[in-house]
Amino acid sequence: MEIVYVYTKKRSEFGRQCNFSDRPAELHVDILPDPSLAANFTVRDPCNVTMQCAEEMSEHEVNTERFESESRGINHVEGGWPKDLNPEDMEATIRYRKKVEKDEHYQNTIMQIAGLMEHCSKQNNATDIYQDFFDDEVEEEVVEESEEEPSAKTINVFRDPNEVKRTATSLSWHPDGNHKLAVAYSSLEFQKAPNDMSFDSYIWDIENHNKPEMTLKPVCPLVCLEYNPKDSHILVGGSYNGQIAYWDTRKGSQPVEMSTIEHSHRDPVYKVIWLQSKTGMDIFSASTDGQVLWWDIRKLSEPTERLVLDPSKKWNLDNALGAISLEFETTMPTKFMVGTEQGLVVSCNRKAKTPAEKIVCTYSGHHGPIYALQRNPFFPKNFLTVADWTARIWSEDIKESSIMWTKYHMAHLLDGCWSPVRPSVFFTVKMDGTLDVWDILFKQNDPTLSLKVCDEALYSIRVQDNGRYLGCGSQLGTTTLLEISSGLCTLQKNEKALVSEMFERETKREKILESRHREMRLKERSRSEQSREDEAKDADGEESTEELVARAETEFFHMLEAEKTKERNEEKERDMEKGVCEEKDFQEEHETNGVVASFTRGEISL
Amino acid sequence: MAEVDETMKRLQNQKGVQGIIIVNAEGIPIKSTLDNASTVQYAGNIHQLLMKARGIVRDIDPQNDLTFLRIRSKKNEVMIAPDKDYFLIVIQNPTE
C-alpha cells in the first residue's frame, strides 16, 4: 500500500516566472599582487624536501581457503592370479594351489624359511624383549613433567557451516569414547535473530572439522543440549521457545518427540540435565519463567513434576526468580541447586513433603545472572558459581557469602566448570574471548593460565571426562577444541588433602565472620530497642503515629482559622475607616501602591 | 608334501601362534590357517611392505639382503620370512 501525500499550491500564488537571459562574463574583483607584502617573506635557497628512494612495498595478507579432506578406504581384492584363472572360482583356485604345493622348489623353500621362523617364534616365547625394566624411572619423569609451564593448545576449530552465524550456547561431550561433541546453536539476543537463520544444531566428530557428523533439526533453535550419560544415542535439547525435544541418533535428524507447548516453559529453556533413575529416562529443565520442570522422556506431553522458584514459598509465578542454570550431582539425588537471573542460588530438596518446603535455602552474593553452577566433583559440599564479573566458590553451610572468590574482571564471565580430574582446577570463559584456567592450590589471585581463544565472546565451555580436552563455544558459532598440558590434568600427590584443607579453612573463616556479624547486629538491635523504650517513657503518650497525625491536623486547622479571623478583622477595620474620610479612602486604596502615593495624596489633601 | 605339512603343524602348535600364511611371489596366498578375508588383506599388504623393506636394505648396501622382518604391534607380532619366490607370514601373540 503506497501512502501518497500531494502538496498543492495555486498557480496564482507562485509569483512571477523567472526569465533567464544570457549575459557576458563580468569581472567583479581583480586583486593585484602587492609587492610590499613580499617583504614579510624571505627567500630560502636551498629548500629541504624529504624524499625516499627506497622500493615501494605494500603489505598483503593471505589466508588459504579451507582444505577439505575426506577419508576414503580401499577395498582389497585378490590379485596376482594368472590371467585365465577367475579368483571367484573356488575349484580353479584350489586346483592352482594344489599344483603349487606339489612343486619341489616350493617345498624346499618352505622348509628353509620355516626353520628360520621357528627359531624366531621360540625366541618370542623365551623372553619378553620389550619388558619395562625401569618402572621407577618412569615415575620420576612424571614428577618432572608437572614442573613444566602450564599451557594449552588448540587442536581443532569447528565453524558454524551456515552463512548466518549463531552463538554456540551449549556443548556436550559424547559419554563413551569422547570422540563426538554435540553443540547447540541459537541466537540469545532478543529478537535479533534474522529470518533466514538456520535452526540446526550439530554433532561434530573431533577428527573432522569440515563437516558435522550429524545435524539435528529442531523446530526452534536449541539453547541447551545434553547426551544421555547412560545411552549414548539419546540426546535431549531445550529450545528457545520453551519446549523440550529428544533425539535418537539412530533414528535421524528429526526429534523423536517434543513436549507440548501448553505444558512447557514460557521462556527459553536454559539448562537441561539428565537425572539418575532406574529407567535412565528422566530429565529436568530450568528456564527464566521461574519454573523447574521434571519430565519423563517417553512421555513428553506433560511434565511429571513442577517447582516454582518463588522465594516467599507461595508458588506465585509473578514473584518467581528466573532460572538460568541447574546443578545436579548423581551422588546426592534428592538435592539440586538452581542458579537464578537475580543472582541467587537456590538450593532445593526434591523429596520434600510439602511444596513449600521444596526450597531449602538461598545463597546470595552475586550481582547478575548465574551462568554456571557446578559442584566440585571431589568435594560435593563446595560449589562454583560463575556470574557477573567474578567466579565464586561456596560452601553449602555458609549461606551469607562465598568462601572464596576471584577478583572483579574487566569482562563478564559467561561460563565455567571444574576439571573432572583435579579438585583444585577450574575453567572460566569471558566475554572478551579469553579462557582462564585457575588452579587454586597454585595461585588464588590470578588465573594460572589465561588464553585468548578468539576475538568474540565465549559463551560456553565443557571439559571432557578425562580432563585433558575442553571445548569452548563462541558468539559466532566457532567451537574450539583445546588440549591442556598434562600438568593441569594429572592429579598431584596430596592434592585432595590440600584442597580439602583449603576449603575447610575458608569455610571456618566465613563462619567466624558470620558469627561476628550476627553478634554485632544483635548488639545494635538491643541498643536501638533500649533507646526506643527510653523515648517512650519521656513523651506524653505520643507513641502512635496516628495520634501524631491527628495532632498535626488539628494544629494545621487552628492555624488556618487564626489567619482567617485576622483577615476578617483587618477588613472590618478598613470598612470602619472608610466611613471617616473620603480622602482617606483614596489613601486606603493606594495603600497597596506604596507609601509615596499616599504621601502625595496626603499633601494634596492638605 | 608331508614334511611341509608337518613343519606347518609344528609352527602352528607353538605357543601364542594365531595364524600362518604362505604367499607366493605374485601375492597369491597358497596356504593359510586364517579366514579368506584376513588372508587376502595380510597377503596384499605385506607383499608391498616386503618389497619396500628389501629395497631399503639393498639401497643402503647392495651386497646386503633382507633375511627376516618382524612387526611388533600392541596386540601381536607379525613375523615375515622372505625368500625369492615365496614368503611365510606368522602372526603370534608374544608372551606377556
Side-chain angles (χ1 to χ4, degrees):
Chain A
M1 181 188 82
E2 242 187 69
I3 301 178
V4 171
Y5 191 84
V6 179
Y7 294 89
T8 47
K9 195 171 172 183
K10 280 208 198 134
R11 181 68 186 81
S12 52
E13 291 167 19
F14 272 116
R16 229 177 62 167
Q17 59 173 331
C18 313
N19 282 329
F20 294 106
S21 59
D22 271 332
R23 78 172 189 200
E26 261 177 40
L27 183 63
H28 285 261
V29 180
D30 187 17
I31 304 175
L32 292 165
D34 186 2
S36 62
L37 287 175
N40 293 340
F41 298 90
T42 50
V43 176
R44 188 148 66 138
D45 183 17
C47 236
N48 289 333
V49 175
T50 45
M51 277 209 324
Q52 182 156 305
C53 198
E55 256 182 62
E56 275 195 23
M57 310 239 247
S58 61
E59 195 182 303
H60 289 281
E61 258 179 38
V62 171
N63 195 10
T64 53
E65 271 183 30
R66 263 214 145 157
F67 180 66
E68 301 246 345
S69 57
E70 233 180 271
S71 302
R72 286 176 187 248
I74 303 179
N75 189 20
H76 289 276
V77 192
E78 274 185 57
W81 294 101
K83 271 209 204 114
D84 47 353
L85 247 179
N86 176 14
E88 308 287 319
D89 186 359
M90 279 289 290
E91 276 189 32
T93 51
I94 293 175
R95 235 184 294 138
Y96 183 81
R97 284 202 178 105
K98 287 228 166 81
K99 195 172 60 154
V100 172
E101 278 173 19
K102 296 216 170 78
D103 188 14
E104 266 268 347
H105 177 59
Y106 167 83
Q107 292 181 23
N108 291 338
T109 323
I110 295 296
M111 294 307 292
Q112 238 186 334
I113 53 183
L116 194 54
M117 183 62 77
E118 235 184 294
H119 173 73
C120 292
S121 176
K122 284 188 184 143
Q123 239 182 12
N124 270 343
N125 289 329
T127 33
D128 181 8
I129 61 175
Y130 295 104
Q131 183 188 26
D132 278 332
F133 293 109
F134 304 107
D135 274 328
D136 18 337
E137 263 194 35
V138 174
E139 266 183 34
E140 279 173 37
E141 273 178 47
V142 171
V143 169
E144 278 175 42
E145 262 183 65
S146 65
E147 292 182 17
E148 76 183 30
E149 275 284 316
S151 63
K153 58 180 184 204
T154 315
I155 306 256
N156 224 336
V157 176
F158 305 100
R159 284 180 227 276
D160 187 0
N162 303 81
E163 281 281 320
V164 178
K165 305 280 179 207
R166 305 146 305 157
T167 314
T169 46
S170 169
L171 303 164
S172 175
W173 285 95
H174 194 263
D176 347 288
N178 290 317
H179 289 301
K180 296 202 234 194
L181 186 58
V183 187
Y185 295 92
S186 61
S187 175
L188 284 178
E189 287 162 46
F190 188 59
Q191 293 193 342
K192 275 217 191 127
N195 281 341
D196 51 352
M197 184 176 97
S198 144
F199 292 160
D200 300 337
S201 291
Y202 301 106
I203 299 183
W204 296 88
D205 184 335
I206 298 192
E207 320 282 316
N208 184 5
H209 58 256
N210 288 323
K211 225 163 62 88
E213 191 182 327
M214 194 172 154
T215 312
L216 300 172
K217 295 191 197 296
V219 168
C220 185
L222 293 177
V223 179
C224 59
L225 189 54
E226 286 287 328
Y227 264 105
N228 185 345
K230 298 229 175 84
D231 181 356
S232 54
H233 294 286
I234 302 207
L235 294 119
V236 75
S239 54
Y240 196 63
N241 66 354
Q243 283 180 298
I244 311 274
Y246 92 94
W247 278 265
D248 190 331
T249 49
R250 298 165 289 205
K251 292 203 188 134
S253 304
Q254 297 291 329
V256 178
E257 206 186 324
M258 291 199 67
S259 61
T260 48
I261 298 205
E262 309 90 64
H263 294 117
S264 307
H265 290 279
R266 305 264 183 280
D267 261 357
V269 181
Y270 279 96
K271 189 98 178 155
V272 136
I273 296 192
W274 287 91
L275 284 173
Q276 191 85 307
S277 70
K278 282 180 251 138
T279 56
M281 295 277 168
D282 294 312
I283 55 163
F284 68 139
S285 61
S287 156
T288 37
D289 65 354
Q291 296 179 73
V292 176
L293 299 173
W294 279 264
W295 308 82
D296 182 337
I297 284 284
R298 298 160 295 188
K299 188 170 162 295
L300 277 178
S301 52
E302 226 192 348
T304 52
E305 215 182 314
R306 73 201 282 264
L307 165 67
V308 174
L309 286 170
D310 183 8
S312 60
K313 302 197 182 169
K314 287 199 195 83
W315 282 67
N316 189 354
L317 251 184
D318 297 323
N319 267 355
L321 309 164
I324 289 255
S325 51
L326 272 181
E327 210 292 331
F328 178 73
E329 181 69 31
T330 47
T331 52
M332 293 195 271
T334 55
K335 289 202 282 184
F336 67 94
M337 294 201 290
V338 185
T340 62
E341 254 186 328
Q342 285 79 5
L344 288 173
V345 177
V346 184
S347 166
C348 310
N349 185 349
R350 201 180 160 191
K351 297 276 186 281
K353 297 193 185 60
T354 65
E357 279 176 30
K358 287 230 165 141
I359 298 177
V360 173
C361 57
T362 60
Y363 301 87
S364 60
H366 272 295
H367 308 291
I370 299 186
Y371 291 110
L373 178 58
Q374 198 190 4
R375 285 187 200 261
N376 188 325
F378 293 84
F379 299 100
K381 274 202 163 245
N382 298 296
F383 57 94
L384 168 75
T385 55
V386 170
D388 56 61
W389 299 273
T390 61
R392 289 173 191 262
I393 300 181
W394 306 71
S395 162
E396 258 187 3
D397 311 317
I398 310 283
K399 303 190 184 25
E400 254 94 75
S401 82
S402 50
I403 57 173
M404 292 171 70
W405 55 91
T406 65
K407 61 172 192 230
Y408 280 85
H409 295 272
M410 299 303 286
H412 277 265
L413 266 71
L414 288 171
D415 201 1
C417 57
W418 289 101
S419 160
V421 289
R422 285 194 62 184
S424 65
V425 171
F426 65 92
F427 307 90
T428 54
V429 285
K430 304 218 283 275
M431 204 147 195
D432 57 2
T434 48
L435 163 76
D436 291 328
V437 181
W438 299 79
D439 182 350
I440 48 180
L441 281 182
F442 184 65
K443 225 199 297 188
Q444 285 92 33
N445 292 331
D446 287 313
T448 306
L449 176 63
S450 186
L451 200 63
K452 186 143 173 77
V453 173
C454 52
D455 290 324
E456 61 265 10
L458 283 173
Y459 269 84
S460 54
I461 177 170
R462 199 56 83 88
V463 187
Q464 209 191 45
D465 289 329
N466 63 11
R468 207 182 172 98
Y469 293 102
L470 43 92
C472 39
S474 79
Q475 200 173 13
L476 293 179
T478 311
T479 310
T480 314
L481 183 66
L482 294 133
E483 180 186 352
I484 50 174
S485 59
S486 46
L488 287 170
C489 54
T490 40
L491 197 60
Q492 312 285 328
K493 41 184 176 196
N494 290 344
E495 189 172 332
K496 274 202 207 168
L498 287 170
V499 173
S500 87
E501 251 182 62
M502 179 181 269
F503 283 148
E504 271 174 39
R505 188 181 67 215
E506 299 298 325
T507 317
K508 228 194 300 174
R509 179 190 61 129
E510 280 299 322
K511 255 199 222 150
I512 295 175
L513 278 176
E514 208 187 300
S515 54
R516 186 96 180 86
H517 275 141
R518 232 181 289 155
E519 269 178 43
M520 286 174 43
R521 254 182 278 142
L522 272 173
K523 256 196 236 156
E524 277 231 23
R525 226 182 286 156
S526 58
R527 230 185 297 140
S528 64
E529 275 180 25
Q530 271 277 329
S531 54
R532 244 190 285 147
E533 280 176 27
D534 292 339
E535 271 180 29
K537 286 187 199 139
D538 290 344
D540 302 319
E542 293 176 68
E543 275 178 34
S544 79
T545 41
E546 287 156 356
E547 283 179 311
L548 279 171
V549 165
R551 203 160 64 93
E553 270 187 44
T554 44
E555 275 183 24
F556 177 68
F557 283 126
H558 278 156
M559 271 169 47
L560 268 181
E561 286 296 321
E563 278 296 315
K564 274 197 204 155
T565 42
K566 218 175 27 169
E567 271 189 50
R568 259 182 263 138
N569 288 343
E570 274 176 17
E571 268 191 55
K572 271 194 211 144
E573 278 179 32
R574 264 185 255 140
D575 288 339
M576 276 174 15
E577 286 182 26
K578 261 191 198 170
V580 173
C581 184
E582 286 173 43
E583 285 155 344
K584 278 215 176 128
D585 270 344
F586 261 116
Q587 219 176 24
E588 251 68 325
E589 266 182 59
H590 289 288
E591 241 179 50
T592 45
N593 290 347
V595 181
V596 179
S598 56
F599 252 109
T600 47
R601 264 330 307 147
E603 279 178 27
I604 293 170
S605 65
L606 281 172
Chain B
M1 248 291 276
E3 297 161 349
V4 171
D5 286 336
E6 209 190 285
T7 324
M8 292 268 297
K9 231 176 261 161
R10 232 181 325 139
L11 267 174
Q12 181 76 34
N13 291 334
Q14 282 276 337
K15 191 164 113 178
V17 170
Q18 290 172 341
I20 306 179
I21 308 172
I22 303 176
V23 189
N24 80 346
E26 274 130 28
I28 304 171
I30 305 292
K31 207 172 181 82
S32 167
T33 60
L34 300 169
D35 58 290
N36 197 28
S38 318
T39 307
V40 169
Q41 243 183 338
Y42 270 110
N45 284 321
I46 290 179
H47 186 62
Q48 293 176 32
L49 182 64
L50 205 50
M51 297 296 116
K52 197 77 183 176
R54 188 176 274 147
I56 294 166
V57 171
R58 284 215 138 152
D59 200 21
I60 295 169
D61 180 7
Q63 315 308 91
N64 212 351
D65 194 9
L66 186 68
T67 51
F68 202 82
L69 190 59
R70 259 179 171 179
I71 303 168
R72 208 174 237 235
S73 71
K74 265 201 285 202
K75 297 190 181 162
N76 46 26
E77 179 164 352
V78 182
M79 294 179 281
I80 307 153
D83 185 77
K84 202 159 66 81
D85 299 313
Y86 301 92
F87 53 97
L88 174 65
I89 305 169
V90 171
I91 301 130
Q92 182 183 33
N93 205 351
T95 45
E96 237 142 286

